[in-house]
Amino acid sequence: MPDVTGPWPAGAVFAERGLEVAGVAADALAARYGTPLVVVDEDDFRARCRAFVGAFPRVLFAVKAFPIRPLIRIAAEEGLGLLGATAGEVEAGLRAGTRPERIVMHGNNKSDAELELAVTSGLGLVVADNAEELERLDRVARGAGRKQPVLLRVIPGVEGHTHAYVDTGGEHSKFGTPIAEGLALQAIKLASTLPGLEFRGIHAHVGSQLLSADPFLAEVETLLELVAEARDSLGVACPGLDVGGGFGAVYTDEVVPEPVALARAVLGRIRDETERRGLPMPEIVVEPGRALTANAACTLYRVGSVKRTPGGPTFAAVDGGMSDNIRPALYGSRYTVAQANAERTTDRATFRVVGKHCESGDVLGDFELPVDLVPGDLLAFASTGAYTYAMASNYNRVGRPAVIGIGPGSPSLWLRREDVADLDRLDVFQAAEPADPPPLPAGVEVRPARPRDAPSFIEALSEVAAERRYVATETVSRSIRETRKRFRRTWTDHQASLVAVHDGRVVGSLGIRREEFAAYRHVASLGMSIVKEWRGRGIGSALLAEALRWARGVGVEKVSLTVYPHNTRAVALYRAFGFMEEGRLSGQSRKSYGYEDEVIMSRWLDPRGDPR
């Protein structure tokens, strides 16, 4: 298993070229995938999963730590179940192919829809937060004709001695039902009598980033006292005991117990206390959370500027920050940081590493780094596999970073980098097309294509295709004869072919065609190309306006198109005409240089027709 006392992934080494992860150089990864970049050592994660599975009877991977399907699949392959705090996390597990009976849902404020998802999906357990939720879950289960297995989350009143934001077991925690004043006992009685529920035991969680067994030992004594009281006063058995998670990870110099040592202490205390109270040994469940993922990953950043201030800190600004790792700003979290490309000196100086966001609090920390750090250098932050990407945002309209996994063979892209099209995907505001499109350049005419335009049309399309970036084809094979034939009827009830012509030369074109099948005949699809030197001069607006006029005239209700996400000028034009992102086709175009995604954009010609 990996060295759990260190902050870096087990496969990380610092060699002549700088940081390597599983034998792949960081600078090569940054060149290929860009930065910021989250790099996951798959073998490290698998080894940590195996260590916990080998130490504890039942282990759940807390999806919230790093909610991506590749890690969920690996966890399932290594014998772990899943713990989801929301419908979204449960759905992630289901969509990753995890069997529902291996998924547990918890959370302090589940909606009726979330409870219905848990019941109808057949989840193995629901961790109920309180008596009111038990009653709602019972109604849902009975309505579905099921008996839902359930744990009751209780507040053990044990302090985790960690950051206040992640200390979840104290007597004033928002999570669970207090043991004090008999409240938990009342809820256990209720859970055991509701006909739609199968009471399976109790759950508690003391806190996160716990660095010793002591909080768990105090917790299990309190929980087993409650179990004994439920037996003696209610005659109710608690066959299961979920002691939660919060097992610590290494960020700088922390010392964390290995899973085997932790299990020996916790399971030994449970065995002793159950024997002392005459209780059967319960099924023990743990939720390692960050202990599985934190040290299995690191994040690469590119330095954008180095700025020295008189009498103050020397700033090194990187191309990420609080949008991809909020923990330093939120918790004051500390990290281990190193230059990831080859170092040029062994001399060190203190740098305040800051992000690119418009907040003075966007500070990742003060670190000793090579004194000659310059723009273009790479920095690597260790221990970013837990609650970093999971808590990432799009603040300042910055896309979340790409995530790659390095396992057997070459690196694999697990999550692509978010781009502008992704940031627009939820925007449902539909602008009307411009009332006054920009005037066309002098001498340019937009009109239906004619047969004599065929040679110039093919020449213009070939010129755009040769750029390889804006249309699907890279070489035009269509013949002049075929194009002339097509251009004999360019304005019908089924299609329109438009050209922008200057001095007899085609400088832009647009084709729009309504779908043939009856179910889709209300939709038309279009494609457009403009010769490079004529872009940004109003030709695209004129072509689009004329195409929409045709569509309205023949009764089309919706117009759709696809565009490459990097074609930001075209996306902006379509947006100005009311087109909105509706989806993405991954790797839809196979180009000479690789695969390109296509973004689907559409607009309803009458907004009242939009079914949303």
Side-chain angles (χ1 to χ4, degrees):
M1 67 169 293
D3 176 11
V4 296
T5 63
W8 296 99
V13 296
F14 286 88
E16 268 190 40
R17 291 181 60 186
L19 173 65
E20 295 179 359
V21 180
V24 184
D27 54 3
L29 292 172
R32 178 176 177 182
Y33 297 103
T35 53
L37 180 67
V38 182
V39 181
V40 181
D41 183 341
E42 181 183 326
D43 287 344
D44 186 325
F45 178 65
R46 286 186 183 275
R48 293 174 192 274
C49 289
R50 291 168 188 162
F52 274 97
V53 168
F56 288 94
R58 186 178 180 190
V59 184
L60 303 178
F61 171 50
V63 175
K64 67 177 182 175
F66 205 157
I68 62 174
R69 281 184 282 181
L71 285 180
I72 292 172
R73 290 194 185 101
I74 291 172
E77 289 171 5
E78 297 299 339
L80 282 74
L82 299 181
L83 181 71
T86 63
E89 291 182 1
V90 169
E91 287 279 11
L94 293 171
R95 295 183 185 201
T98 308
R99 297 200 309 271
E101 65 270 19
R102 297 182 63 187
I103 300 177
V104 178
M105 175 185 270
H106 73 117
N108 71 301
N109 185 27
K110 304 179 195 69
S111 67
D112 287 345
E114 287 176 313
L115 296 179
E116 288 169 7
L117 172 66
V119 171
T120 57
S121 299
L123 298 196
L125 277 172
V126 173
V127 179
D129 186 82
N130 52 63
E132 183 271 338
E133 185 182 297
L134 287 167
E135 292 174 338
R136 287 194 295 121
L137 180 60
D138 170 65
R139 288 195 295 271
V140 171
R142 285 188 288 110
R146 292 197 66 233
K147 199 171 182 73
Q148 176 62 50
V150 64
L151 298 178
L152 175 70
R153 180 162 182 169
V154 301
I155 302 174
V158 175
E159 300 292 338
H161 305 293
T162 184
H163 193 286
Y165 288 1
V166 291
D167 197 333
T168 56
E171 61 181 8
H172 297 131
S173 172
K174 75 170 189 175
F175 300 99
T177 299
I179 292 178
E181 300 181 8
L183 295 174
L185 207 59
Q186 295 171 27
I188 290 173
K189 181 178 181 181
L190 177 65
S192 67
T193 56
L194 289 171
L197 304 183
E198 178 189 348
F199 179 62
R200 296 285 293 274
I202 57 177
H203 173 288
H205 194 287
V206 177
S208 291
Q209 188 57 3
L210 305 180
L211 301 177
S212 78
D214 292 344
F216 297 104
L217 302 181
E219 174 197 20
V220 297
E221 290 189 10
T222 300
L223 296 182
L224 290 172
E225 186 65 31
L226 176 63
V227 170
E229 192 173 358
R231 177 199 60 186
D232 296 340
S233 63
L234 302 175
V236 175
C238 297
L241 190 67
D242 188 331
V243 299
F247 305 108
V250 181
Y251 290 92
T252 55
D253 55 0
E254 298 90 344
V255 177
V256 300
E258 293 188 6
V260 170
L262 196 57
R264 186 181 302 116
V266 174
L267 297 179
R269 180 64 58 87
I270 293 173
R271 191 174 296 107
D272 292 345
E273 292 299 318
T274 52
E275 289 178 0
R276 187 171 68 82
R277 292 176 170 86
L279 293 167
M281 184 71 175
E283 179 188 21
I284 306 301
V285 182
V286 296
E287 308 156 3
R290 79 179 68 216
L292 295 172
T293 59
N295 296 122
C298 59
T299 298
L300 303 178
Y301 297 99
R302 184 78 67 182
V303 176
S305 71
V306 175
K307 181 170 60 179
R308 291 170 174 80
T309 58
T314 298
F315 293 101
V318 297
D319 51 359
M322 66 190 304
S323 66
D324 60 80
N325 189 353
I326 191 63
R327 296 184 70 254
L330 184 64
Y331 300 139
S333 300
R334 301 183 306 149
Y335 285 89
T336 299
V337 178
Q339 184 171 321
N341 58 310
E343 293 185 2
R344 296 170 294 272
T345 179
T346 57
D347 295 334
R348 293 292 187 266
T350 301
F351 291 82
R352 180 160 296 171
V353 179
V354 297
K356 65 182 294 178
H357 302 87
C358 294
E359 297 286 339
S360 296
D362 184 20
V363 177
L364 294 170
D366 292 337
F367 306 101
E368 295 296 309
L369 294 166
V371 68
D372 62 349
L373 191 73
V374 294
D377 282 338
L378 287 174
L379 295 184
F381 277 62
S383 315
T384 58
Y387 306 110
T388 49
Y389 192 95
M391 300 174 74
S393 73
N394 296 128
Y395 181 50
N396 284 155
R397 295 278 287 184
V398 173
R400 286 178 292 184
V403 179
I404 65 165
I406 306 183
S410 61
S412 298
L413 182 63
W414 283 359
L415 291 180
R416 62 172 174 77
R417 187 176 311 283
E418 284 185 322
D419 56 27
V420 175
D422 293 308
L423 302 183
D424 279 344
R425 69 189 181 278
L426 302 181
D427 187 348
V428 297
F429 171 73
Q430 178 171 311
E433 60 259 39
D436 298 308
L440 284 168
V444 173
E445 176 189 12
V446 169
R447 57 167 171 77
R450 300 167 185 166
R452 67 173 180 266
D453 295 322
S456 183
F457 167 83
I458 291 177
E459 181 182 350
L461 184 59
S462 298
E463 188 176 329
V464 176
E467 296 180 74
R468 304 192 306 169
R469 289 181 53 80
Y470 301 112
V471 294
T473 184
E474 295 183 5
T475 57
V476 178
S477 58
R478 185 183 303 165
S479 69
I480 293 176
R481 181 177 179 181
E482 178 187 1
T483 305
R484 280 198 182 111
K485 183 178 179 181
R486 175 184 158 199
F487 282 178
R488 288 191 184 115
R489 299 184 70 230
T490 55
W491 192 279
T492 71
D493 287 347
H494 303 289
Q495 65 180 3
S497 296
L498 303 169
V499 291
V501 181
H502 179 260
D503 286 343
R505 178 194 174 204
V506 172
V507 296
S509 62
L510 182 149
I512 183 168
R513 177 191 296 267
R514 79 184 310 161
E515 302 294 334
E516 295 181 6
F517 293 106
Y520 308 130
R521 279 187 57 77
H522 65 292
V523 180
S525 301
L526 69 80
M528 179 169 62
S529 68
I530 299 171
V531 174
K532 184 175 182 179
E533 63 264 29
W534 289 92
R535 293 171 193 157
R537 300 176 65 178
I539 291 175
S541 294
L543 287 167
L544 266 181
E546 192 69 3
L548 296 180
R549 184 175 75 83
W550 170 86
R552 288 190 175 94
V554 299
V556 166
E557 299 174 48
K558 182 183 181 183
V559 179
S560 295
L561 58 90
T562 64
V563 59
Y564 296 141
H566 63 72
N567 193 356
T568 54
R569 177 179 285 180
V571 171
L573 173 63
Y574 298 137
R575 269 275 172 185
F577 274 75
F579 286 81
M580 297 174 296
E581 287 78 358
E582 288 194 334
R584 192 178 191 113
L585 302 171
S586 178
Q588 184 73 2
S589 292
R590 186 168 67 178
K591 312 284 280 183
S592 61
Y593 52 83
Y595 292 86
E596 285 275 13
D597 293 356
E598 294 184 17
V599 175
I600 304 168
M601 299 186 74
S602 300
R603 70 152 295 164
W604 290 84
L605 299 183
D606 179 356
R608 291 171 296 179
D610 187 340
R612 287 172 299 197

